Amino acid sequence: MARSGGCQCGAVRYEVEGEPVHNAICHCSDCRASAGAPMVAWLAVKAEQFTQTSGEVTTYTGKTGSQRQFCPKCGTGLFFRNEQFLPGLVDIQAATLDDGDKVAPQAQVQCAERLSWVTEINELPAFDRFPGG
């Protein structure tokens, strides 16, 4: 499997070779704060499977030493590394894959921190586009 992806403005691009180690939605408060979203989908690959092919990223190092990398031009969150908890892995925000719709998550993690209303999200009204538009 070969996949590619990048940030919203196209300045940062990357490629991944081979099968991922895991693909999961994370509900932790750190991911929520970083992404400004209720959860984040991650595709984890071995560092040797990952190549950043263009652009530069900005790195934010968190309290626990984890590193979150994002595009300095458009702000798109891209990569996460934490050698203490995920040695040798690069977590890629799955929504940044060019074919992200073909990479369904296989699990949910950090569910102890999941927002309570997320479990009922399927009960909300759903619209193909903005309602009334």
Side-chain angles (χ1 to χ4, degrees):
M1 166 190 84
R3 290 199 149 75
S4 59
C7 66
Q8 185 175 11
C9 73
V12 178
R13 296 289 301 163
Y14 64 86
E15 292 179 353
V16 174
E17 290 290 333
E19 293 299 316
V21 175
H22 65 81
N23 183 3
I25 293 174
C26 183
H27 292 279
C28 81
S29 59
D30 190 50
C31 281
R32 288 198 315 266
S34 175
M39 65 197 82
V40 179
W42 294 102
L43 183 78
V45 298
K46 294 177 184 174
E48 58 268 18
Q49 294 175 272
F50 171 82
T51 305
Q52 187 175 322
T53 57
S54 67
E56 298 293 326
V57 294
T58 296
T59 301
Y60 169 76
T61 302
K63 294 176 245 173
T64 63
S66 62
Q67 294 184 324
R68 293 183 180 275
Q69 296 180 306
F70 56 94
C71 174
K73 293 182 181 181
C74 67
T76 300
L78 294 161
F79 317 122
F80 174 89
R81 292 177 171 91
N82 186 320
E83 285 301 316
Q84 180 181 356
F85 296 108
L86 301 168
L89 296 181
V90 177
D91 252 342
I92 300 167
Q93 286 197 22
T96 67
L97 289 162
D98 294 338
D99 64 349
D101 61 328
K102 295 181 179 152
V103 185
Q106 300 163 330
Q108 297 182 66
V109 297
Q110 303 291 62
C111 291
E113 297 180 41
R114 180 174 47 204
L115 296 173
S116 61
W117 56 262
V118 170
T119 59
E120 300 168 7
I121 202 163
N122 285 335
E123 297 174 23
L124 295 174
F127 304 91
D128 287 341
R129 302 280 183 244
F130 290 109

